[in-house]
Amino acid sequence: MNTQLRRAAVAVAATAMAVSLAACGSAKEAGGNGSGGDDKKKDGPLTIGLLLPEDQTARYENFDKPLIEKRIKELCSDCEVSYVNAKEDASTQQQQMNSMITKKVDAIILDAVDAKSIAGSVTKADEAGIPVVAYDRLAEGPISAYTSFDNEQVGKVQGTALLEELGDKAEDGQIVMMNGSPTDPNAAMFKKGAKSVLDGKVKVGKSYDTTGWKPEEANKNMSGAIASLGKGNIVGVYSANDGMAGGIITALKSAGVDPLPPVTGQDAELAGVQRIVSGDQFMTVYKPFQPEAYAAAEMAVALARGEKPETETTVDSATTKDVPATLIEPIAVTVENLKDTVVKDGLYSVEEICTAKYAKACEKAGLK
């Protein structure tokens, strides 16, 4: 594999931020970007609101939530985390934001279901003096900080891996692009990054924006693409994440496509990793959750205390310029480097990956 695809995660920026470890009881109320805040001392522990977008993708409940909670407790032992999950409903998340504002939490970590529709609630929080850390997705409105992965680079990593795997076959057929949800700004960045690599190198026969990142939608769209293009003419599939890759692969198998074309993915979900071991899925993008989660926790605690988090860069959203940001580099994972990435980092153990169903494939892959 090209060494470009074996890049190390840039976790230093996320873990080296200077965050004061002063006692929570002497914290200042954060003033946000609006006029609602003040510099009064806050009595009692800080409360950090944590709003995650859905529970269908395994990462949020299994990794993001516990890691964020752990880091907040390390920084402030008597801080409280008020957690809610919107379950992919933008209206629900708006109500959850309003509830956090009513409770007068000291800061909010927000992973937006819909980056545009949540802007009004972000503005309300800002007016109430509650800073908002945009987590994983760049929410619109006056957010105070942002942490995510370099999302265009994610798409470039996926596109580069797919092209390298296709080799000369890139000229022999067409690929299908299964992009993420149109309400997720990250999806647009993944797509932009992928297209910057793929355009002019391979023909895109069909391209879809997948409602809600739902595997069943990807399955339906892939079935339509097969019917339209012909199963013998599809040489590869760009799938923006692992969940959709599962739906895509099911559609390919149902249509009798054999051998399967290379299918990309993202998130290094256990099911995706197992498909890579078995040969059904070509690659995934591993985004180490700890540095991103820790960065969000550190930013939120600093802002809740009335302090400015130290970051190395800034980003612009559609509504807000120069937002302090920490961006983490993604890592391409194929069967060749599974052992040196997700296993070595402790994301999954060999035992978790190599269940009875995958035992032989694991031996072939050198995992057992």
Side-chain angles (χ1 to χ4, degrees):
M1 174 173 289
N2 191 308
T3 54
Q4 179 184 358
L5 300 182
R6 297 178 183 270
R7 63 180 69 246
V10 182
V12 175
T15 56
M17 288 187 295
V19 178
S20 170
L21 298 181
C24 295
S26 62
K28 295 179 181 180
E29 289 188 355
N33 295 318
S35 60
D38 56 46
D39 290 328
K40 294 179 181 178
K41 300 283 186 178
K42 176 176 171 58
D43 295 323
L46 297 173
T47 299
I48 309 294
L50 174 58
L51 290 79
L52 296 182
E54 46 100 345
D55 57 2
Q56 295 302 303
T57 305
R59 58 167 290 190
Y60 292 113
E61 297 292 328
N62 293 346
F63 298 105
D64 299 78
K65 176 180 178 286
L67 284 168
I68 290 170
E69 291 176 334
K70 177 178 181 289
R71 186 59 176 150
I72 288 174
K73 287 297 183 182
E74 288 175 349
L75 296 169
C76 181
S77 60
D78 59 350
C79 283
E80 299 175 359
V81 177
S82 180
Y83 169 67
V84 288
N85 191 301
K87 298 186 177 180
E88 201 60 43
D89 189 301
S91 296
T92 296
Q93 191 167 69
Q94 291 172 24
Q95 294 169 6
Q96 291 170 341
M97 278 284 288
N98 293 337
S99 177
M100 293 289 180
I101 295 166
T102 300
K103 292 177 182 177
K104 299 181 179 180
V105 299
D106 299 286
I108 292 172
I109 299 171
L110 168 69
D111 193 339
V113 173
D114 186 323
K116 290 183 180 294
S117 69
I118 202 65
S121 297
V122 174
T123 299
K124 288 180 183 178
D126 182 65
E127 291 171 347
I130 302 172
V132 177
V133 176
Y135 180 67
D136 207 52
R137 298 171 181 173
L138 187 55
E140 295 186 11
I143 59 173
S144 298
Y146 170 61
T147 183
S148 185
F149 290 83
D150 186 336
N151 293 313
E152 282 193 31
Q153 183 63 27
V154 169
K156 289 178 181 179
V157 166
Q158 292 169 316
T160 300
L162 182 58
L163 275 183
E164 290 189 352
E165 180 67 8
L166 288 175
D168 293 340
K169 290 182 180 179
E171 301 176 0
D172 296 339
Q174 304 173 70
I175 70 165
V176 175
M177 289 195 72
M178 203 69 66
N179 307 299
S181 174
T183 64
D184 183 347
N186 286 3
M189 288 187 274
F190 302 147
K191 182 178 179 180
K192 180 180 179 182
K195 284 178 65 64
S196 73
V197 174
L198 296 170
D199 284 355
K201 303 290 181 61
V202 63
K203 182 178 179 181
V204 178
K206 288 288 184 179
S207 181
Y208 302 89
D209 293 329
T210 311
T211 303
W213 293 93
K214 294 178 180 178
E216 59 267 29
E217 287 292 319
N219 178 276
K220 180 179 70 176
N221 291 338
M222 191 66 213
S223 295
I226 294 167
S228 176
L229 302 176
K231 65 182 182 181
N233 296 319
I234 299 171
V235 296
V237 183
Y238 167 82
S239 173
N241 79 351
D242 289 341
M244 295 193 307
I248 289 163
I249 290 166
T250 298
L252 289 166
K253 288 183 173 182
S254 296
V257 178
D258 186 25
L260 292 172
V263 179
T264 67
Q266 179 183 182
D267 290 331
E269 290 189 356
L270 179 57
V273 169
Q274 290 172 325
R275 286 193 297 269
I276 289 172
V277 169
S278 70
D280 287 346
Q281 183 173 325
F282 165 55
M283 63 83 69
T284 187
V285 176
Y286 170 41
K287 304 188 299 184
F289 300 121
Q290 186 183 64
E292 184 189 23
Y294 277 24
E298 291 162 3
M299 287 173 166
V301 171
L303 288 164
R305 289 172 169 159
E307 300 164 0
K308 183 179 179 180
E310 295 185 8
T311 61
E312 295 185 351
T313 189
T314 61
V315 298
D316 297 337
S317 74
T319 61
T320 309
K321 304 296 182 183
D322 298 324
V323 178
T326 296
L327 301 179
I328 318 298
E329 289 282 344
I331 304 169
V333 174
T334 68
V335 71
E336 296 177 16
N337 66 340
L338 269 175
K339 195 171 185 178
D340 294 329
T341 52
V342 296
V343 174
K344 182 179 179 181
D345 286 1
L347 185 66
Y348 306 115
S349 67
V350 170
E351 289 72 26
E352 286 176 305
I353 298 169
C354 299
T355 59
K357 180 179 178 181
Y358 299 98
K360 289 184 178 179
C362 280
E363 287 182 12
K364 184 178 179 181
L367 289 179
K368 296 190 75 174

